[in-house]
DNA sequence: CCGGCCATCTTAGCGGTGTTCAGAAACCGT
DNA sequence: ACGGTTTCTGAACACCGCTAAGATGGCCGG
């Protein structure tokens, strides 16, 4: 990490980058702020002019990384066969987690830097959008659609975390995709066969990765 | 923490108890081994005669706590209406997590003290048993039954972790139960409407909380 | 009853951590 | 050229996990 000037230029961004590498290499907590500073070529205390604490650094990084997941899901849905959009988004979710488990753990751990963080597009929202399509297409009734994003999200998130934490193991990307697809397919057909409810469901509230 | 003898008697157990309280009070990582030792009334280094490291202490505690969840699920299923057994077990899973989020995070984080830990009954196994009942009752075909534990488990685990990590919020225990029930009902009906597969599915492997 | 053994606990200390704070260094507008 | 401001440094504090060497006292053979 060469540095020709006394002032760094973009120390804040560089620290986030270093932290992301360290998370990837050694896990969410397997590194120190001092180490990240050293990697950037700066004294330990320099970081405190950009982040109030190590924890804020980590949570800011989590926010930054989460947006990438949302984009990946949206892209996957966009380039998929119209009948497969949700499935594609779901597959992207768990693939992302498995490809980079440490970073995924970082994000899943929750706790955002800014409460009103504008993470766009948020995974929850791309799931919601796809389910809206399904409702318009008539495969989901109004009552089944209400809160449906939470059942799909829960299923995906569950598989992703079980894999990422090593609680469950699948061998190979093919099997992984199959499992993710089965999950969202099961959820969708389950929802579509749901007995109609009198009052539209409300479901959980205040989704946030914050 | 009085102590009349120089030797403690059951320092190992006392340390696990102290650690469990500390996890409950301040989160999985919001405490130090020194603090747990002090709470038990013992010098910091005493712990190292019973646990190779702080990490081993924590993972041993996780094992101990996990068995409680399995028992709760089994009990809930046992005392439930026969048609509601899986639902009851699932409800127990997410209730348990929400009632004691820090401890749940501890368990969910994974990593066991002994790889071959005989955690009985394991949550995965009680889910499996209930799905076997459903298969016998004919609501699940053989191909739908194969690997179904992972679908249900993933859904439950996803909701539990989303709640525990504060990524979603439901207000009140009623809403919580409703959500958990919807999840497993959706999964079951989704699985029961699954198009039959030629070869019985294999599904993920090596379930373990270790 | 006693002496010694040995598991158990303690004291002291090492290297490393997050964080603070006073001051040096370089950039920037005038 | 210079003063003010931003940005980084150096030293220090309290605490951490962990180790090594020694004190303590329950226990067992005599």
């Amino acid at each position: 990490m060469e540095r020709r000037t006394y002032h760094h230029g973009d120390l804040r961004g560089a620290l986030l980058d270093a932290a992301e590498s360290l998370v990837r290499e050694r896990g969410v907590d397997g590194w120190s702020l001092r180490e990240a500073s050293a990697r950037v070529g700066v004294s330990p205390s320099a970081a405190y002019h950009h982040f109030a604490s190590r924890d804020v650094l980590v949570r800011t990084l989590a926010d930054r990384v989460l947006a990438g997941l949302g984009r990946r899901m949206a892209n996957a849905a966009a380039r998929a066969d119209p009948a497969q959009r949700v499935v594609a988004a779901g597959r992207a979710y768990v693939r992302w987690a498995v490809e980079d488990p440490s970073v995924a753990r970082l994000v899943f751990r929750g706790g955002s830097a800014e409460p009103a963080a504008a993470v766009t597009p948020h995974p929850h929202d791309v799931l919601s959008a796809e389910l809206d399509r399904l409702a318009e297409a008539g495969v989901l009734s109004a009552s089944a659609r209400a809160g449906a994003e939470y059942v799909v999200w829960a299923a995906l998130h569950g598989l992703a975390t079980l894999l990422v934490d090593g609680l469950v193991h699948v061998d190979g990307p093919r099997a992984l995709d199959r499992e993710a697809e089965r999950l969202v397919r099961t959820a969708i057909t389950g929802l579509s066969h749901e007995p109609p409810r009198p009052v539209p469901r409300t479901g959980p509230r205040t989704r946030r990765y914050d």
Side-chain angles (χ1 to χ4, degrees), chain A residues 136-166:
Chain A
E136 279 176 41
V139 355
L140 253 37
S141 73
S143 77
R145 168 65 191 86
E149 60 286 24
Y150 291 100
V151 353
V152 178
W153 188 16
L156 288 170
H157 191 71
L159 179 59
T161 56
L162 285 174
L163 288 167
V164 149
D165 289 340

Side-chain angles (χ1 to χ4, degrees), chain A residues 19-59:
Chain A
E20 183 168 351
S21 306
L22 283 166
V23 167
R24 222 182 302 273
E25 292 168 24
R26 297 217 280 282
V28 179
D29 293 312
W31 54 279
S32 63
L33 201 155
R34 290 171 118 101
E35 196 172 358
S37 302
R39 199 170 270 212
V40 171
V42 116
S43 85
S45 54
Y48 287 87
H49 295 269
H50 299 273
F51 303 97
S53 67
R54 191 200 118 111
D55 202 58
V56 170
L57 201 209
V58 170
R59 274 147 52 182

Side-chain angles (χ1 to χ4, degrees), chain A residues 105-119:
Chain A
R105 257 191 294 264
L106 168 74
V107 168
F108 290 164
R109 188 150 79 171
S112 161
E114 314 114 84
V119 174

Side-chain angles (χ1 to χ4, degrees), chain A residues 77-100:
Chain A
R79 71 177 79 251
D81 179 288
Q84 308 267 340
R85 293 179 61 102
V86 219
V87 174
R91 212 167 31 203
Y93 193 94
V94 348
R95 266 191 198 164
W96 174 86
V98 170
E99 280 172 19
D100 215 338

